[in-house]
């Protein structure tokens, strides 16, 4: 939710405020605000959306590096912004 844009994580999970499933910042209108909050909390880290990879067939699979999908063995592709 946009009101919870201060909640950012580099791992899948649920929002501790509203208990909704966390989603990629590239999939929500408030993604830029969430990425800015990430950078404030992790000043030495790159934006999580800039370095994530996903499976074309299984979008719930997220990785911070290229590789193979553990479900179908397809190559992971960069998350599109």
């Amino acid at each position: 939710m946009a009101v919870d844009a201060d909640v950012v994580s580099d791992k899948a999970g649920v929002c501790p405020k509203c208990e909704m499933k966390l989603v990629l910042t590239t999939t929500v209108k408030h993604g830029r605000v969430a990425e800015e909050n990430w950078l404030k909390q992790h000043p030495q880290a790159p934006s999580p959306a800039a370095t994530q990879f996903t499976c074309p067939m299984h979008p719930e699979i997220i990785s911070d590096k290229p590789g193979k999908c553990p479900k179908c063995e397809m190559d992971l592709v960069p998350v599109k912004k």
Side-chain angles (χ1 to χ4, degrees):
M1 296 183 70
V3 296
D4 296 336
D6 60 315
V7 176
V8 290
S9 176
D10 59 353
K11 295 181 175 41
V14 295
C15 174
K17 293 181 176 181
C18 67
E19 297 186 3
M20 290 180 69
K21 178 182 171 186
L22 295 176
V23 297
L24 294 174
T25 58
T26 56
T27 64
V28 291
K29 291 181 181 180
H30 62 277
R32 182 177 294 266
V33 173
E35 287 185 29
E36 289 170 1
N37 287 327
W38 170 267
L39 291 173
K40 287 177 189 172
Q41 295 173 25
H42 305 87
Q44 302 301 319
S47 168
T51 58
Q52 290 186 329
F53 297 83
T54 189
C55 174
M57 295 292 292
H58 301 100
E60 71 277 10
I61 302 295
I62 303 294
S63 175
D64 61 351
K65 57 189 171 214
K68 299 277 186 185
C69 174
K71 290 185 176 182
C72 68
E73 297 292 317
M74 288 183 72
D75 288 332
L76 298 180
V77 296
V79 173
K80 294 180 181 175
K81 288 187 173 186

